[in-house]
Amino acid sequence: MLKRLSSSSSCLQARVHSLGPNLGLHPGPTELASPFLRVLGSLTGLARPNSSRRAFFCSDASDGSDQVVEVEVKKAGTDGDAESKSSSAIVPTNPRPEDYLTVLALPLPHRPLFPGFYMPIYVKDPKLLAALQESRKRQAPYAGAFLLKDEPGTDPSVVSGSETDKSISDLKGKELFNRLHEVGTLAQISSIQGDQVVLIGHRRLRITEMVDEDPLTVKVDHLKDKPYNKDDDVIKATSFEVISTLRDVLKTSSLWRDHVQTYTQHIGDFNFPRLADFGAAISGANKLQCQQVLEELDVYKRLKLTLELVKKEIEISKIQESIAKAIEEKISGEQRRYLLNEQLKAIKKELGLEADDKTTLSAKFRERLEPNREKCPPHVLQVIEEELTKLQLLEASSSEFNVTRNYLDWLTSIPWGNYSDENFDVLRAQKILDEDHYGLSDVKERILEFIAVGKLRGISQGKIICLSGPPGVGKTSIGRSIARALNRKFYRFSVGGLSDVAEIKGHRRTYIGAMPGKMVQCLKNVGTANPLVLIDEIDKLGRGHAGDPASALLELLDPEQNANFLDHYLDVPIDLSKVLFVCTANVVEMIPNPLLDRMEVISIAGYITDEKIHIARDYLEKTTREACGIKPEQVEVTDAALLALIENYCREAGVRNLQKHIEKIYRKIALQLVRQGVSDEPEVAGQIESPISRIDGPNESAVVEAQVAETDEAKVEDVDKLDQSVVASESQTASESLATDLPVEPAVGEIQVADTDEPMDSKDAKKTDKIQESEAIKTVDKVLVDELNVADFVGKPVFHAERLYDQTPVGVVMGLAWTAMGGSTLYIETTQVEEGEGKGSLNVTGQLGDVMKESTQIAHTVARAILLDKEPDNPFFANSKLHLHVPAGATPKDGPSAGCTMITSMLSLAMKKPVKKDLAMTGEVTLTGRILPIGGVKEKTIAARRGEVKTIIFPAANRKDFDELAPNVKEGLDVHFVDDYNQIFDLAFSDDQSKEK
């Protein structure tokens, strides 16, 4: 430390003058005389000029008296305090620091304050701040700075952010006193600006007792270092090691360099205690380690603790240096690679070895366009040439360049005028359609007509065909078969739920991520201008904020407009007149009328039972068997089993559910075959190797015994139901014996047990085993699936007989209905609730729609008129409260075609006469009793066959629709066509029924 300062003003002025004109505090000649200062001065070099410095000097005179001088050097106007307005000030403090035995206690939250250092803190407690200001005004600018202990149960090394300045300011009195460390620092209050207090540490203190709680005032003892020998070699060596470590740290850390420069300018003389405090104060150690250094009064131990801390800093500096070096190498490597690539491009371009991007792109587009240039329309060629010229003028980095490049990419990818060669062979097309689909004569006839017209004209014109029908009837697969028959490319896209017009017409090119519509994408993918495009689920079009796609499809599907279809992205007309559009829909009524007007609707009503059996046998079973890896000779599914499957599980109009059930059966059969060890045993030299013959090794007999035990357990417990399925053999005797569903595994198990009795190590015995095994396995030829065990594979039947009554009761009549899943039978029931004079009324239930509710009122009126005509003396309708119900009540029902059925039900109740049990009818009725035509003739006819109906009543206007049905659909039905309800009355209630058809 500096020697005692003289009270003479000249000495003080010289001392201040030595701070330098640039506000840097350079040590004077007296200060450099210290050997420690010279060492650190050689480490740090000249001090950097700072805009504001605060210097303080603490001298320890030999006589024990202390004097503290504070020097502040700041820019003019930086301190609002009236006492610090001058650019340089010397404030003598009197009395001396050791005279203060009672001080205000200031909590330090983060690090302790070391003697010789300054620290700014924020005081939030107004009482404590007022006390500090009062002490400074009374020329007693001292307080005690003590480190705050961590909360109990917390890890000081983990930063949680929970202990903020606000929480520290909440500590008061005894609670704050208990949280303070005993050893702290006597701190001079240098300045107070708002709630910021700048402290300068002087000497160590120890708290003895609490004097006052608010603000916290404590009694302290002033601590002095223990005596030590300045010439002790160990202390010198430790101090020089500290200095040497500091030198290494200063080479890598600029932050430490600034600390050392500031400290060497502020402190005139270094000694061993100061060196230890200096190293600990500027290190990055945690607060508890720094507090340990502060509490240590033994100079040698303090130096050792400081040496540990600075050694840690050197390790941290090495890690920091390695991280920085790795990042710098990575960045510099990438920059070097980028520069070399740019130089390589420039060299190649200068030598003509590589053209620029724009030239390459233009050449690629022209090369792609060249094959179709003669077929390309002139207006399209003109647009392409204009865009190619624009591409050469644009900068490659501009956004317009990318838009033009993408536009040219689409323009040149479309097959302008490129048509595929069509095949107009009608016989070949007939063969392909019959291979892929059974039945569907209407659809096949329409496709053959299209091919015949194309053959006569020499060219084929695009058409729009709409296939409507229930799910699973093969609408989508028909489109693929048509494309194969015509030798056209096939493209499918679904518009179900589509609500954006841009999917059909494309986006404008100005939008980010703009793309053409589906038709332009189709032409690019298929590569021809006359593909077959299947638009799936056209009845499920959505409508959202982005427009109405159904209206956008009008131009696409209009034969008069699609020759000049305009996509928003391409903005040039495209000829789609040669495209064959095939649309699919479940319900035609859901398609908007303007869109439906452009289509030719072909209805696919579904399949009758005979057709389903043929489809299952010729298509579904074959495909499923190959998918499951089962050979035809391993499984036999009888026609009776398929019939039971169709009648009791898969009554839908389509065959998708039937395919699922057949797949379920074959999966279970595959599992059974694998468990029996039949399907996966390899054939070697014409023999099938048995599982036992593959066992070898020292534990051979144990494995054999385990297999025998498993087989015996299976025989006793019969865990798996599938193991009891019927297994048929080639011989008639075996098939008869297996018809009782005997399991197969016991026979195999008996042979395995017999095999275990033979010596396994004998060659002759092994050959005998193989022969016996092969003979036993040959008896397991087929798994038989018939109507008796089909429930073991697919579970309990889902459907039951649609006929609820063997003999139709009074008031109950069977009607025929159309649904989206096909046709179905529908019972209409009427009963009398109450009878009384003038109580005639009607109540209806069964979740009926508005149209059907109106039909009940019409039927009630017509039934009263007919009863009055047939039985004038019967007052049933005038005096009876009726209840009409249409099961099932959970299914919504609507439509006018049940009118005649409702009249018949009411008249049956009124006359107490049941109708024929095998009779079903359908037809809309008017108030005058006329019968109007209905829809879904094929579906209702199929439903009648399924409901075991013998006699059907149809409106006379539907005679032509019925005559167009396939013969197998009409076979065995007694159909009557009527145009007035009186004819129905005679057929329903008269024993002598006419046979007019």
Side-chain angles (χ1 to χ4, degrees), residues 473-548:
V473 296
K475 300 184 295 296
T476 304
S477 58
I478 289 172
R480 189 174 286 105
S481 299
I482 295 172
R484 190 161 72 94
L486 293 174
N487 196 28
R488 287 196 180 203
K489 298 288 186 180
F490 179 76
Y491 184 84
R492 173 194 171 273
F493 68 92
S494 176
V495 294
L498 187 68
S499 60
D500 191 355
V501 175
E503 292 289 333
I504 307 296
K505 300 277 288 182
H507 304 83
R508 300 288 181 185
R509 289 198 305 275
T510 53
Y511 297 147
I512 297 176
M515 288 186 66
K518 285 290 185 182
M519 275 313 302
V520 177
Q521 298 178 34
C522 162
L523 296 179
K524 179 181 178 181
N525 288 341
V526 299
T528 60
N530 62 337
L532 186 144
V533 177
L534 181 71
I535 304 177
D536 227 345
E537 310 294 350
I538 200 168
D539 60 329
K540 299 176 181 62
L541 276 169
R543 184 169 184 174
H545 68 280
D548 184 10

Side-chain angles (χ1 to χ4, degrees), residues 724-791:
Q724 295 182 358
S725 61
V726 178
V727 180
S729 63
E730 296 179 356
S731 62
Q732 182 66 25
T733 306
S735 62
E736 292 176 356
S737 63
L738 291 173
T740 58
D741 296 341
L742 290 176
V744 180
E745 288 190 359
V748 179
E750 289 172 6
I751 295 174
Q752 290 177 350
V753 172
D755 290 341
T756 57
D757 296 337
E758 299 293 332
M760 300 298 293
D761 56 345
S762 172
K763 293 184 179 181
D764 296 335
K766 287 185 178 180
K767 291 180 180 179
T768 305
D769 295 340
K770 289 184 178 181
I771 294 172
Q772 291 178 354
E773 286 294 333
S774 61
E775 291 176 352
I777 292 174
K778 284 180 182 178
T779 62
V780 186
D781 284 336
K782 289 184 179 179
V783 176
L784 183 66
V785 181
D786 59 10
E787 71 275 14
L788 298 178
N789 65 345
V790 70

Side-chain angles (χ1 to χ4, degrees), residues 76-89:
T78 58
D79 193 349
D81 196 339
E83 296 178 2
S84 58
K85 286 184 179 180
S86 60
S87 60
S88 178

Side-chain angles (χ1 to χ4, degrees), residues 16 70 93 118 139 215 217 360 530 622 666 784 802 820 870 957:
V16 174
E70 179 186 3
T93 59
Y118 67 88
Q139 301 300 319
T217 307
T360 305
N530 62 337
K622 178 181 176 182
Y666 273 87
L784 183 66
E802 290 196 3
K870 301 294 182 181

